[in-house]
Amino acid sequence: MKLIGISGALRRASTNTGLLRALQALLPPGIAMDIATLHGIPPFDEDLIAASGKPDVVTALAEKIRQADGIIIATPEYQFSVPGVLKNANDWLSTCNAPFKWKRTGVVGASAGAMAGTARAQYHLRQNLQALQAIVMPRPEIMIVHNELKFDADGNLTDAETRERLHKWLEAFLEWVEKKP
Amino acid sequence: MKLIGISGALRRASTNTGLLRALQALLPPGIAMDIATLHGIPPFDEDLIAASGKPDVVTALAEKIRQADGIIIATPEYQFSVPGVLKNANDWLSTCNAPFKWKRTGVVGASAGAMAGTARAQYHLRQNLQALQAIVMPRPEIMIVHNELKFDADGNLTDAETRERLHKWLEAFLEWVEKKP
Amino acid sequence: MKLIGISGALRRASTNTGLLRALQALLPPGIAMDIATLHGIPPFDEDLIAASGKPDVVTALAEKIRQADGIIIATPEYQFSVPGVLKNANDWLSTCNAPFKWKRTGVVGASAGAMAGTARAQYHLRQNLQALQAIVMPRPEIMIVHNELKFDADGNLTDAETRERLHKWLEAFLEWVEKKP
Amino acid sequence: MKLIGISGALRRASTNTGLLRALQALLPPGIAMDIATLHGIPPFDEDLIAASGKPDVVTALAEKIRQADGIIIATPEYQFSVPGVLKNANDWLSTCNAPFKWKRTGVVGASAGAMAGTARAQYHLRQNLQALQAIVMPRPEIMIVHNELKFDADGNLTDAETRERLHKWLEAFLEWVEKKP
């Protein structure tokens, strides 16, 4: 089984990219996960496509998604929704022959403070993924609050209880990808 | 009264930018509306801010919003949500001392085909504008279907019935801005 | 294959119940669909459960869902969301050992006028169905505008073009139920 | 100033009704708040209205809302959305000459466990209140997690830190109602 993790954050020390690394470290033998970030994807503009086609960084990401058995997206929450850069990447990907179509997908996220834990971002992302025809695992969900207490300054997970929750989530997700209920 | 219209579309012949032009032409004497587009705004990245500060194009847009009595945002719908470029602009604007705070705001949109007329994008945008503390007019709403039949190839509105609806919407919006119910 | 259709409307002449009848008439031989309505389900109240248990009408509906291979929910839109009676039914069903869990499900809807065609209701319903762990077909979607022109006074579909769209949607849905992508 | 609090929960020991009581106790002198519950409101059914008109309990609630300067709705979260009984009440209220129109409104909620704190319910409620033309305070928000630790068995708030947050929220809400920004 081959997975791809996509981080919706550009910040180098992002806890959401760190969340994907933590999941990566929990994978059983024989299952690999590449982590992709969205650096270098320009603002989506149909005039730009008409003038110069699609950027290589977009078609390469589409191809990675197409090759994967399962996709995990880690999303920060900005202003009660997904980061613009994550939505922008999906705007581009929607022009690449439906790479998400019927792909088993999972959504996770971590945010600062006590409220909501990226819930608002995750439901907007799920509606967006519906358009892209992904088959997103309904439950369990991962919405991590107080990431400022659970990750170090480099964005590495340090909280054991969160790691345990991630482990359980990952087991459910691997079943979701493998058994295709 | 001074308004600003913001188009969520980059495409030169966009019908959503055309929607703002149509509203501009319907304004009564003494009320002006500038139209802003989101060209040149880079992907939001906190590392970039730390390294080189905020782009001038962002602070200039924030200032225009701050100066306005009312804001109209015209949003296309991409993949069941707002364009990434529009969300990305709002991610930047959220770092500019709350330019939307308690500003009277309206949301409009036009899309192709028979379904939904940007409804999905508009509700995601409204949730995003809530975070930015805008006071968005609840009703009436403008969701234009079949923009391919109602605008010309340059994105100019050609449909009289739609113009009439826009006129009524604009009257309600001007009351919203002026009377601040 | 056995399907169940659930109408979110109580009104006898509802076009949403009519939508389910139209789908029923389009089913190929060997596939049956019962239509359930939500009459007689009391307001969900945990004190009521503690005092007198669950109503038979609820456990019977849960059992029908459990027996079905696929579920189609037709939802009206009231005030930018699902009818309270539909949400209330799902509140009850959530106490009945997860009848929706991993069930292949489809969502359709019809509304009056030109705007949105139950889009707002459908996305709220989809989020609710996520909680119930249904696996809802992402696309295609059915959002019928101007039901006042397409159904007769008894709620029967009269519009040939809409019937054709329903037919295509139904083919996609039957594939969704059968192949379980 | 006269307020009305509406609890979306029927359960006698509901922490959401308790949340309204806690807010009531924090009101400054000269400001009163009645608390209404939704007991006795039947499932919304247009055939029922045609046969026997609107229930008194509905018209009485509509009148209370019309008399109020400000409305606070406390919503539980059931299955990733508002309780059906709350949505059902609003379905009825939408037939009573727009009692919510341009009324200053606030939304709060409490839920069990660590995730989301009624966030999912609150955004669905906000979209519903948009349809009803309420003017809902964008921020601050109150989403209380772990209500099982912060309220007693009768639904009374016992947590001092939460009371402090409620106090700040209430100050912002009273300004929202009084100054009508």
Side-chain angles (χ1 to χ4, degrees), chain D residues 134-168:
Chain D
I135 303 184
V136 188
M137 182 165 69
R139 281 185 160 183
E141 299 186 312
I142 290 286
M143 295 169 178
I144 297 171
V145 293
H146 281 306
N147 65 359
E148 75 280 9
L149 306 176
K150 297 171 183 164
F151 294 79
D152 67 19
D154 296 321
N156 294 307
L157 180 66
T158 55
D159 182 64
E161 188 270 340
T162 301
R163 183 167 286 112
E164 191 43 47
R165 278 175 60 209
L166 284 182
H167 203 162
K168 279 188 190 139

mmCIF file of all heavy atoms in Angstrom, chain D residues 134-168:
data_model
loop_
_atom_site.group_PDB
_atom_site.id
_atom_site.type_symbol
_atom_site.label_atom_id
_atom_site.label_comp_id
_atom_site.label_asym_id
_atom_site.label_seq_id
_atom_site.Cartn_x
_atom_site.Cartn_y
_atom_site.Cartn_z
ATOM 1 N N ALA D 134 -31.580 37.331 10.931
ATOM 2 C CA ALA D 134 -30.969 37.805 12.172
ATOM 3 C C ALA D 134 -29.607 38.429 11.857
ATOM 4 O O ALA D 134 -28.986 38.111 10.841
ATOM 5 C CB ALA D 134 -30.792 36.631 13.136
ATOM 6 N N ILE D 135 -29.162 39.330 12.734
ATOM 7 C CA ILE D 135 -27.813 39.895 12.593
ATOM 8 C C ILE D 135 -26.986 39.326 13.743
ATOM 9 O O ILE D 135 -27.061 39.784 14.876
ATOM 10 C CB ILE D 135 -27.849 41.436 12.609
ATOM 11 C CG1 ILE D 135 -28.771 41.944 11.485
ATOM 12 C CG2 ILE D 135 -26.449 41.998 12.435
ATOM 13 C CD1 ILE D 135 -28.822 43.451 11.327
ATOM 14 N N VAL D 136 -26.218 38.285 13.421
ATOM 15 C CA VAL D 136 -25.561 37.474 14.440
ATOM 16 C C VAL D 136 -24.153 38.004 14.709
ATOM 17 O O VAL D 136 -23.396 38.254 13.778
ATOM 18 C CB VAL D 136 -25.493 35.995 14.004
ATOM 19 C CG1 VAL D 136 -24.978 35.129 15.142
ATOM 20 C CG2 VAL D 136 -26.863 35.506 13.540
ATOM 21 N N MET D 137 -23.814 38.166 15.968
ATOM 22 C CA MET D 137 -22.476 38.649 16.340
ATOM 23 C C MET D 137 -21.413 37.712 15.781
ATOM 24 O O MET D 137 -21.426 36.507 16.059
ATOM 25 C CB MET D 137 -22.340 38.733 17.857
ATOM 26 C CG MET D 137 -20.972 39.281 18.279
ATOM 27 S SD MET D 137 -20.895 39.806 20.024
ATOM 28 C CE MET D 137 -21.007 38.218 20.867
ATOM 29 N N PRO D 138 -20.464 38.252 15.000
ATOM 30 C CA PRO D 138 -19.464 37.370 14.394
ATOM 31 C C PRO D 138 -18.486 36.794 15.423
ATOM 32 O O PRO D 138 -18.161 35.612 15.388
ATOM 33 C CB PRO D 138 -18.721 38.254 13.397
ATOM 34 C CG PRO D 138 -19.337 39.612 13.428
ATOM 35 C CD PRO D 138 -20.353 39.667 14.529
ATOM 36 N N ARG D 139 -18.003 37.618 16.304
ATOM 37 C CA ARG D 139 -17.013 37.246 17.304
ATOM 38 C C ARG D 139 -17.177 38.112 18.519
ATOM 39 O O ARG D 139 -17.639 39.246 18.381
ATOM 40 C CB ARG D 139 -15.589 37.456 16.768
ATOM 41 C CG ARG D 139 -15.115 36.373 15.862
ATOM 42 C CD ARG D 139 -13.653 36.651 15.526
ATOM 43 N NE ARG D 139 -13.003 35.426 15.042
ATOM 44 C CZ ARG D 139 -11.718 35.352 14.737
ATOM 45 N NH1 ARG D 139 -10.944 36.412 14.879
ATOM 46 N NH2 ARG D 139 -11.199 34.237 14.308
ATOM 47 N N PRO D 140 -16.776 37.703 19.700
ATOM 48 C CA PRO D 140 -16.178 36.399 20.037
ATOM 49 C C PRO D 140 -17.193 35.264 19.989
ATOM 50 O O PRO D 140 -18.397 35.506 19.875
ATOM 51 C CB PRO D 140 -15.674 36.615 21.461
ATOM 52 C CG PRO D 140 -16.565 37.666 22.024
ATOM 53 C CD PRO D 140 -16.913 38.565 20.873
ATOM 54 N N GLU D 141 -16.685 34.047 20.045
ATOM 55 C CA GLU D 141 -17.533 32.858 20.050
ATOM 56 C C GLU D 141 -17.385 32.116 21.381
ATOM 57 O O GLU D 141 -16.364 32.229 22.050
ATOM 58 C CB GLU D 141 -17.129 31.917 18.920
ATOM 59 C CG GLU D 141 -17.262 32.537 17.539
ATOM 60 C CD GLU D 141 -16.989 31.565 16.415
ATOM 61 O OE1 GLU D 141 -15.967 30.849 16.481
ATOM 62 O OE2 GLU D 141 -17.781 31.509 15.475
ATOM 63 N N ILE D 142 -18.406 31.354 21.722
ATOM 64 C CA ILE D 142 -18.341 30.480 22.901
ATOM 65 C C ILE D 142 -18.614 29.047 22.449
ATOM 66 O O ILE D 142 -19.720 28.720 22.006
ATOM 67 C CB ILE D 142 -19.397 30.887 23.958
ATOM 68 C CG1 ILE D 142 -19.043 32.217 24.602
ATOM 69 C CG2 ILE D 142 -19.548 29.801 25.036
ATOM 70 C CD1 ILE D 142 -17.882 32.185 25.593
ATOM 71 N N MET D 143 -17.581 28.213 22.513
ATOM 72 C CA MET D 143 -17.728 26.786 22.184
ATOM 73 C C MET D 143 -17.091 26.012 23.324
ATOM 74 O O MET D 143 -15.866 25.904 23.389
ATOM 75 C CB MET D 143 -16.998 26.475 20.881
ATOM 76 C CG MET D 143 -17.601 27.185 19.679
ATOM 77 S SD MET D 143 -16.557 27.062 18.201
ATOM 78 C CE MET D 143 -17.625 27.943 17.026
ATOM 79 N N ILE D 144 -17.912 25.490 24.215
ATOM 80 C CA ILE D 144 -17.404 24.872 25.431
ATOM 81 C C ILE D 144 -17.223 23.372 25.236
ATOM 82 O O ILE D 144 -18.189 22.660 24.936
ATOM 83 C CB ILE D 144 -18.356 25.141 26.611
ATOM 84 C CG1 ILE D 144 -18.406 26.662 26.864
ATOM 85 C CG2 ILE D 144 -17.910 24.388 27.866
ATOM 86 C CD1 ILE D 144 -19.462 27.080 27.844
ATOM 87 N N VAL D 145 -15.985 22.908 25.388
ATOM 88 C CA VAL D 145 -15.723 21.461 25.339
ATOM 89 C C VAL D 145 -15.814 20.891 26.747
ATOM 90 O O VAL D 145 -15.860 21.632 27.725
ATOM 91 C CB VAL D 145 -14.323 21.153 24.751
ATOM 92 C CG1 VAL D 145 -14.269 21.532 23.285
ATOM 93 C CG2 VAL D 145 -13.220 21.852 25.536
ATOM 94 N N HIS D 146 -15.862 19.595 26.838
ATOM 95 C CA HIS D 146 -15.849 18.901 28.133
ATOM 96 C C HIS D 146 -16.899 19.458 29.089
ATOM 97 O O HIS D 146 -16.592 19.755 30.249
ATOM 98 C CB HIS D 146 -14.454 19.021 28.781
ATOM 99 C CG HIS D 146 -13.464 18.060 28.197
ATOM 100 N ND1 HIS D 146 -13.682 16.709 28.112
ATOM 101 C CD2 HIS D 146 -12.234 18.274 27.648
ATOM 102 C CE1 HIS D 146 -12.635 16.119 27.541
ATOM 103 N NE2 HIS D 146 -11.750 17.041 27.240
ATOM 104 N N ASN D 147 -18.133 19.596 28.628
ATOM 105 C CA ASN D 147 -19.166 20.075 29.552
ATOM 106 C C ASN D 147 -19.370 19.094 30.714
ATOM 107 O O ASN D 147 -19.840 19.474 31.774
ATOM 108 C CB ASN D 147 -20.479 20.399 28.818
ATOM 109 C CG ASN D 147 -21.146 19.184 28.205
ATOM 110 O OD1 ASN D 147 -20.640 18.070 28.303
ATOM 111 N ND2 ASN D 147 -22.280 19.413 27.559
ATOM 112 N N GLU D 148 -18.975 17.839 30.516
ATOM 113 C CA GLU D 148 -19.115 16.851 31.605
ATOM 114 C C GLU D 148 -18.239 17.215 32.805
ATOM 115 O O GLU D 148 -18.494 16.751 33.925
ATOM 116 C CB GLU D 148 -18.817 15.434 31.104
ATOM 117 C CG GLU D 148 -17.345 15.094 30.853
ATOM 118 C CD GLU D 148 -16.823 15.611 29.511
ATOM 119 O OE1 GLU D 148 -17.543 16.381 28.827
ATOM 120 O OE2 GLU D 148 -15.684 15.263 29.134
ATOM 121 N N LEU D 149 -17.233 18.064 32.591
ATOM 122 C CA LEU D 149 -16.355 18.470 33.698
ATOM 123 C C LEU D 149 -16.714 19.844 34.259
ATOM 124 O O LEU D 149 -16.209 20.241 35.298
ATOM 125 C CB LEU D 149 -14.898 18.517 33.224
ATOM 126 C CG LEU D 149 -14.328 17.256 32.571
ATOM 127 C CD1 LEU D 149 -12.911 17.502 32.069
ATOM 128 C CD2 LEU D 149 -14.359 16.088 33.559
ATOM 129 N N LYS D 150 -17.562 20.583 33.544
ATOM 130 C CA LYS D 150 -17.757 21.995 33.888
ATOM 131 C C LYS D 150 -19.155 22.321 34.400
ATOM 132 O O LYS D 150 -19.438 23.461 34.767
ATOM 133 C CB LYS D 150 -17.434 22.849 32.662
ATOM 134 C CG LYS D 150 -15.980 22.714 32.248
ATOM 135 C CD LYS D 150 -15.686 23.362 30.926
ATOM 136 C CE LYS D 150 -14.228 23.116 30.539
ATOM 137 N NZ LYS D 150 -13.985 23.395 29.116
ATOM 138 N N PHE D 151 -20.039 21.335 34.360
ATOM 139 C CA PHE D 151 -21.414 21.514 34.831
ATOM 140 C C PHE D 151 -21.729 20.376 35.800
ATOM 141 O O PHE D 151 -21.160 19.281 35.693
ATOM 142 C CB PHE D 151 -22.396 21.467 33.657
ATOM 143 C CG PHE D 151 -22.261 22.607 32.697
ATOM 144 C CD1 PHE D 151 -21.255 22.627 31.737
ATOM 145 C CD2 PHE D 151 -23.153 23.675 32.745
ATOM 146 C CE1 PHE D 151 -21.132 23.686 30.842
ATOM 147 C CE2 PHE D 151 -23.042 24.731 31.853
ATOM 148 C CZ PHE D 151 -22.018 24.733 30.899
ATOM 149 N N ASP D 152 -22.661 20.619 36.732
ATOM 150 C CA ASP D 152 -23.042 19.533 37.637
ATOM 151 C C ASP D 152 -24.176 18.701 37.025
ATOM 152 O O ASP D 152 -24.590 18.939 35.882
ATOM 153 C CB ASP D 152 -23.401 20.089 39.034
ATOM 154 C CG ASP D 152 -24.665 20.941 39.031
ATOM 155 O OD1 ASP D 152 -25.486 20.839 38.079
ATOM 156 O OD2 ASP D 152 -24.847 21.728 39.986
ATOM 157 N N ALA D 153 -24.682 17.751 37.792
ATOM 158 C CA ALA D 153 -25.655 16.802 37.250
ATOM 159 C C ALA D 153 -26.993 17.464 36.908
ATOM 160 O O ALA D 153 -27.791 16.909 36.144
ATOM 161 C CB ALA D 153 -25.882 15.659 38.238
ATOM 162 N N ASP D 154 -27.244 18.633 37.455
ATOM 163 C CA ASP D 154 -28.466 19.366 37.111
ATOM 164 C C ASP D 154 -28.265 20.344 35.952
ATOM 165 O O ASP D 154 -29.171 21.105 35.609
ATOM 166 C CB ASP D 154 -28.972 20.139 38.333
ATOM 167 C CG ASP D 154 -29.373 19.201 39.464
ATOM 168 O OD1 ASP D 154 -29.965 18.143 39.163
ATOM 169 O OD2 ASP D 154 -29.079 19.525 40.634
ATOM 170 N N GLY D 155 -27.053 20.362 35.412
ATOM 171 C CA GLY D 155 -26.791 21.268 34.311
ATOM 172 C C GLY D 155 -26.388 22.666 34.745
ATOM 173 O O GLY D 155 -26.462 23.604 33.944
ATOM 174 N N ASN D 156 -25.950 22.807 35.977
ATOM 175 C CA ASN D 156 -25.502 24.125 36.443
ATOM 176 C C ASN D 156 -24.000 24.278 36.255
ATOM 177 O O ASN D 156 -23.233 23.381 36.612
ATOM 178 C CB ASN D 156 -25.853 24.312 37.924
ATOM 179 C CG ASN D 156 -27.356 24.362 38.118
ATOM 180 O OD1 ASN D 156 -28.063 25.133 37.474
ATOM 181 N ND2 ASN D 156 -27.868 23.499 39.006
ATOM 182 N N LEU D 157 -23.596 25.411 35.741
ATOM 183 C CA LEU D 157 -22.180 25.686 35.518
ATOM 184 C C LEU D 157 -21.442 25.738 36.849
ATOM 185 O O LEU D 157 -21.857 26.426 37.780
ATOM 186 C CB LEU D 157 -22.019 27.025 34.789
ATOM 187 C CG LEU D 157 -20.578 27.453 34.485
ATOM 188 C CD1 LEU D 157 -19.927 26.517 33.479
ATOM 189 C CD2 LEU D 157 -20.536 28.883 33.966
ATOM 190 N N THR D 158 -20.313 25.031 36.922
ATOM 191 C CA THR D 158 -19.520 25.032 38.156
ATOM 192 C C THR D 158 -18.092 25.495 37.914
ATOM 193 O O THR D 158 -17.325 25.639 38.861
ATOM 194 C CB THR D 158 -19.456 23.603 38.750
ATOM 195 O OG1 THR D 158 -18.958 22.717 37.724
ATOM 196 C CG2 THR D 158 -20.827 23.124 39.192
ATOM 197 N N ASP D 159 -17.731 25.737 36.670
ATOM 198 C CA ASP D 159 -16.331 26.022 36.347
ATOM 199 C C ASP D 159 -16.087 27.532 36.287
ATOM 200 O O ASP D 159 -16.676 28.248 35.468
ATOM 201 C CB ASP D 159 -15.991 25.367 35.003
ATOM 202 C CG ASP D 159 -14.545 25.563 34.624
ATOM 203 O OD1 ASP D 159 -13.669 25.053 35.348
ATOM 204 O OD2 ASP D 159 -14.289 26.258 33.625
ATOM 205 N N ALA D 160 -15.176 27.995 37.135
ATOM 206 C CA ALA D 160 -14.944 29.439 37.259
ATOM 207 C C ALA D 160 -14.341 30.036 35.985
ATOM 208 O O ALA D 160 -14.710 31.131 35.566
ATOM 209 C CB ALA D 160 -14.027 29.713 38.449
ATOM 210 N N GLU D 161 -13.429 29.307 35.363
ATOM 211 C CA GLU D 161 -12.765 29.836 34.159
ATOM 212 C C GLU D 161 -13.790 29.999 33.031
ATOM 213 O O GLU D 161 -13.744 30.966 32.271
ATOM 214 C CB GLU D 161 -11.622 28.878 33.760
ATOM 215 C CG GLU D 161 -10.730 29.381 32.650
ATOM 216 C CD GLU D 161 -11.238 28.961 31.280
ATOM 217 O OE1 GLU D 161 -12.038 27.992 31.207
ATOM 218 O OE2 GLU D 161 -10.866 29.621 30.300
ATOM 219 N N THR D 162 -14.712 29.039 32.922
ATOM 220 C CA THR D 162 -15.757 29.166 31.898
ATOM 221 C C THR D 162 -16.661 30.361 32.203
ATOM 222 O O THR D 162 -17.064 31.097 31.299
ATOM 223 C CB THR D 162 -16.604 27.862 31.838
ATOM 224 O OG1 THR D 162 -15.746 26.776 31.534
ATOM 225 C CG2 THR D 162 -17.690 27.963 30.785
ATOM 226 N N ARG D 163 -16.967 30.564 33.491
ATOM 227 C CA ARG D 163 -17.801 31.714 33.866
ATOM 228 C C ARG D 163 -17.122 33.028 33.461
ATOM 229 O O ARG D 163 -17.777 33.944 32.958
ATOM 230 C CB ARG D 163 -18.094 31.688 35.371
ATOM 231 C CG ARG D 163 -19.023 32.820 35.816
ATOM 232 C CD ARG D 163 -19.576 32.623 37.220
ATOM 233 N NE ARG D 163 -20.607 31.593 37.238
ATOM 234 C CZ ARG D 163 -20.516 30.404 37.829
ATOM 235 N NH1 ARG D 163 -19.420 30.084 38.483
ATOM 236 N NH2 ARG D 163 -21.512 29.540 37.757
ATOM 237 N N GLU D 164 -15.823 33.073 33.630
ATOM 238 C CA GLU D 164 -15.070 34.274 33.244
ATOM 239 C C GLU D 164 -15.161 34.511 31.728
ATOM 240 O O GLU D 164 -15.368 35.635 31.270
ATOM 241 C CB GLU D 164 -13.619 34.115 33.708
ATOM 242 C CG GLU D 164 -12.785 35.367 33.617
ATOM 243 C CD GLU D 164 -13.522 36.601 34.110
ATOM 244 O OE1 GLU D 164 -14.148 36.568 35.203
ATOM 245 O OE2 GLU D 164 -13.509 37.606 33.375
ATOM 246 N N ARG D 165 -15.015 33.415 30.952
ATOM 247 C CA ARG D 165 -15.150 33.541 29.486
ATOM 248 C C ARG D 165 -16.555 34.001 29.111
ATOM 249 O O ARG D 165 -16.733 34.832 28.214
ATOM 250 C CB ARG D 165 -14.869 32.203 28.796
ATOM 251 C CG ARG D 165 -13.388 31.902 28.596
ATOM 252 C CD ARG D 165 -13.211 30.503 28.005
ATOM 253 N NE ARG D 165 -13.875 30.372 26.708
ATOM 254 C CZ ARG D 165 -14.373 29.229 26.216
ATOM 255 N NH1 ARG D 165 -14.267 28.106 26.918
ATOM 256 N NH2 ARG D 165 -14.973 29.201 25.045
ATOM 257 N N LEU D 166 -17.562 33.437 29.784
ATOM 258 C CA LEU D 166 -18.948 33.841 29.513
ATOM 259 C C LEU D 166 -19.139 35.324 29.808
ATOM 260 O O LEU D 166 -19.830 36.036 29.076
ATOM 261 C CB LEU D 166 -19.926 33.037 30.364
ATOM 262 C CG LEU D 166 -20.202 31.598 29.940
ATOM 263 C CD1 LEU D 166 -21.228 30.975 30.881
ATOM 264 C CD2 LEU D 166 -20.717 31.534 28.499
ATOM 265 N N HIS D 167 -18.522 35.772 30.879
ATOM 266 C CA HIS D 167 -18.638 37.175 31.261
ATOM 267 C C HIS D 167 -18.111 38.090 30.159
ATOM 268 O O HIS D 167 -18.762 39.058 29.754
ATOM 269 C CB HIS D 167 -17.883 37.418 32.574
ATOM 270 C CG HIS D 167 -18.365 38.621 33.304
ATOM 271 N ND1 HIS D 167 -18.127 38.865 34.624
ATOM 272 C CD2 HIS D 167 -19.111 39.681 32.881
ATOM 273 C CE1 HIS D 167 -18.677 40.001 34.981
ATOM 274 N NE2 HIS D 167 -19.278 40.510 33.944
ATOM 275 N N LYS D 168 -16.962 37.752 29.644
ATOM 276 C CA LYS D 168 -16.378 38.572 28.564
ATOM 277 C C LYS D 168 -17.240 38.512 27.311
ATOM 278 O O LYS D 168 -17.435 39.515 26.618
ATOM 279 C CB LYS D 168 -14.964 38.071 28.244
ATOM 280 C CG LYS D 168 -13.947 38.619 29.230
ATOM 281 C CD LYS D 168 -12.534 38.273 28.801
ATOM 282 C CE LYS D 168 -11.572 38.614 29.942
ATOM 283 N NZ LYS D 168 -10.545 37.588 30.114
#
